Amino acid sequence: MEEIKTIMIGATLKELRKELNISQEEISGRTGLDRTFISMLERDIRQPTITTIFLLAEALKLKPFELVKKVEEKYKGYEIKRDTY
Amino acid sequence: MEEIKTIMIGATLKELRKELNISQEEISGRTGLDRTFISMLERDIRQPTITTIFLLAEALKLKPFELVKKVEEKYKGYEIKRDTY
DNA sequence: ATGTAGACTAAAGTCGACC
DNA sequence: GGGTCGACTTTAGTCTACA
């Protein structure tokens, strides 16, 4: 069982956005979140909170749980193990 | 359509924990998150990030998307509308 | 076993500018 | 259109302590 420390949602977000053929600026407009922040989310430099996940899902035309499910599918066979700090 | 500003996961977390008959301290132990932080999450004083959601789901013996789905069901007919700050 | 409070550190999220 | 940098404010998350 491989260990990971943080959930990476970036690739999933980018894929879904590309499927819709829209820009980061469009996501920014739809969510009310800053454009540079969307960029950082896609590059896994930032992590969304649950409210942000709900906003992103709405912008990407799917349900929050579906978005999470897509992220989840990338982590089959991995165990999350945080750094306790 | 009612407007809300933040997603409240607290009640869902507490219900699931009660169903398992375990303490906040047990959740703290299973997730590696601070006990006082679990308390704040249940009282909606704090918001989890996606990594925290995955950890909580594991501790509560369900899949992350199932946890999110349960939260989602409490928001039928609501629209999220953040304060842009 | 839980809520709360205070003080703290790390990370979420904004904004303006430039490439 | 998107990456990045710096400076900023707010919040996630820790920890000790007490009711």
Side-chain angles (χ1 to χ4, degrees):
Chain A
M1 187 82 112
E2 296 269 331
E3 290 183 4
I4 55 173
K5 297 188 177 182
T6 52
I7 295 297
M8 310 282 201
I9 195 176
T12 307
L13 291 179
K14 189 161 195 168
E15 284 164 22
L16 289 166
R17 180 171 65 78
K18 290 294 182 188
E19 283 173 24
L20 293 178
N21 254 304
I22 57 181
S23 64
Q24 292 183 352
E25 271 169 342
E26 178 64 27
I27 301 287
S28 170
R30 293 186 188 183
T31 56
L33 294 163
D34 199 86
R35 204 257 313 158
T36 65
F37 183 55
I38 305 298
S39 170
M40 291 173 123
L41 285 173
E42 289 193 356
R43 286 174 294 123
D44 295 313
I45 295 171
R46 289 286 193 280
Q47 288 230 338
T49 59
I50 190 162
T51 297
T52 300
I53 292 170
F54 272 60
L55 288 165
L56 290 168
E58 193 175 15
L60 293 166
K61 310 278 187 201
L62 75 171
K63 297 194 169 180
F65 87 85
E66 291 172 321
L67 173 53
V68 170
K69 198 170 183 180
K70 275 181 190 291
V71 175
E72 214 174 312
E73 282 160 7
K74 309 216 172 191
Y75 288 97
K76 297 281 180 209
Y78 286 81
E79 187 188 3
I80 320 174
K81 198 117 182 196
R82 300 174 55 254
D83 283 328
T84 304
Y85 57 101
Chain B
M1 186 83 111
E2 297 269 333
E3 289 183 6
I4 54 171
K5 298 187 179 183
T6 52
I7 296 297
M8 310 282 200
I9 196 176
T12 307
L13 291 179
K14 190 162 193 165
E15 284 164 23
L16 289 166
R17 180 172 65 81
K18 290 292 181 190
E19 283 173 24
L20 293 179
N21 254 305
I22 57 181
S23 64
Q24 293 183 351
E25 270 170 343
E26 178 65 27
I27 301 287
S28 171
R30 293 185 188 184
T31 56
L33 294 162
D34 199 86
R35 205 259 311 159
T36 66
F37 183 54
I38 305 297
S39 171
M40 291 172 123
L41 284 174
E42 288 193 356
R43 286 173 294 123
D44 295 312
I45 294 172
R46 288 287 192 281
Q47 289 229 341
T49 59
I50 190 161
T51 298
T52 301
I53 291 170
F54 272 59
L55 288 165
L56 290 168
E58 193 175 15
L60 293 166
K61 309 279 186 201
L62 74 172
K63 296 194 171 181
F65 88 86
E66 292 172 320
L67 173 53
V68 171
K69 197 171 184 179
K70 276 181 189 290
V71 175
E72 214 174 312
E73 281 160 7
K74 309 216 170 189
Y75 288 98
K76 296 285 182 206
Y78 286 81
E79 187 189 2
I80 321 173
K81 197 117 180 195
R82 299 173 56 254
D83 284 329
T84 304
Y85 56 102

